Amino acid sequence: MERPGATTLKGNPLTLIGPELRPGDTAPDFKLVDTSLKPVTLNDTGRRVRIVSVVPSLDTPVCDAQTKRFNEEAAKLPSVDIITVSMDLPFAQKRWCGAFGVDNVKMLSDHVDGSFGANYGTLIKELRIESRAIFVLDANNHIRHVEYVKEVADHPDYESALSAARSAGAATA
């Protein structure tokens, strides 16, 4: 499934591959790799509330700021797991986290086969990188919040995602 013009980069329309997920949908499975090259599926992420922060590349200013922001927020949300997904190589993710002291978010790479991007509708066809997005999953793998950021260079709505995570956590407590 292709969604032409579903996102833009500096105003230029780009095509997203995959469905546009909505709150209430069941979270699709995926096969990512962690910073030690270990495969990680949806089931491997556990049964807690999760914020999945999707970024194009950690080596860009907005992605850098987004990941650092969620790293800071993770310390305030002990019952929520925060995951960052990008196409960056696992080695680059590990190096970036070490350079900036980011240790509260779990870094996962979609570089092997793009299954996360294709299943969550975040894979940019023209660039083979992820589009910026946020997903909040509850303990039962239901999507509680979705934001596909229209312009890749823009920040997501952090407060809406954090609020949805808190609400999902309260509902399962």
Side-chain angles (χ1 to χ4, degrees):
M1 166 186 283
E2 293 188 3
R3 297 173 9 243
T7 195
T8 59
L9 178 59
K10 297 182 180 174
N12 297 310
L14 296 169
T15 303
L16 291 181
I17 296 174
E20 182 174 350
L21 300 175
R22 301 189 187 313
D25 289 347
T26 298
D29 201 5
F30 51 74
K31 185 176 176 188
L32 299 167
V33 292
D34 67 14
T35 57
S36 66
L37 302 177
K38 179 183 172 201
V40 177
T41 65
L42 176 64
N43 191 50
D44 296 328
T45 66
R47 288 295 185 168
R48 292 169 31 118
V49 173
R50 286 142 294 160
I51 295 174
V52 181
S53 171
V54 186
V55 299
S57 174
L58 294 167
D59 291 322
T60 62
V62 177
C63 300
D64 174 280
Q66 180 175 330
T67 305
K68 289 174 181 173
R69 168 75 185 269
F70 279 119
N71 188 63
E72 291 170 13
E73 296 293 344
K76 304 174 200 170
L77 296 167
S79 63
V80 176
D81 290 330
I82 301 180
I83 299 164
T84 294
V85 174
S86 73
M87 282 285 190
D88 294 302
L89 293 175
F91 314 110
Q93 290 178 333
K94 188 174 187 176
R95 173 193 45 78
W96 184 90
C97 286
F100 294 105
V102 171
D103 56 4
N104 294 321
V105 298
K106 181 172 184 131
M107 306 301 289
L108 297 175
S109 175
D110 199 20
H111 86 96
V112 175
D113 65 9
S115 74
F116 180 93
N119 293 345
Y120 282 72
T122 60
L123 183 60
I124 299 175
K125 178 181 179 180
E126 295 85 351
L127 303 173
R128 200 176 185 282
I129 61 173
E130 304 288 346
S131 182
R132 189 173 317 286
I134 305 288
F135 301 91
V136 176
L137 312 180
D138 68 18
N140 296 312
N141 291 331
H142 293 115
I143 298 173
R144 299 289 294 265
H145 171 82
V146 175
E147 180 185 7
Y148 292 97
V149 180
K150 179 65 176 168
E151 168 57 48
V152 174
D154 289 345
H155 284 270
D157 181 347
Y158 299 106
E159 292 309 319
S160 290
L162 294 166
S163 177
R166 286 185 205 98
S167 175
T172 59

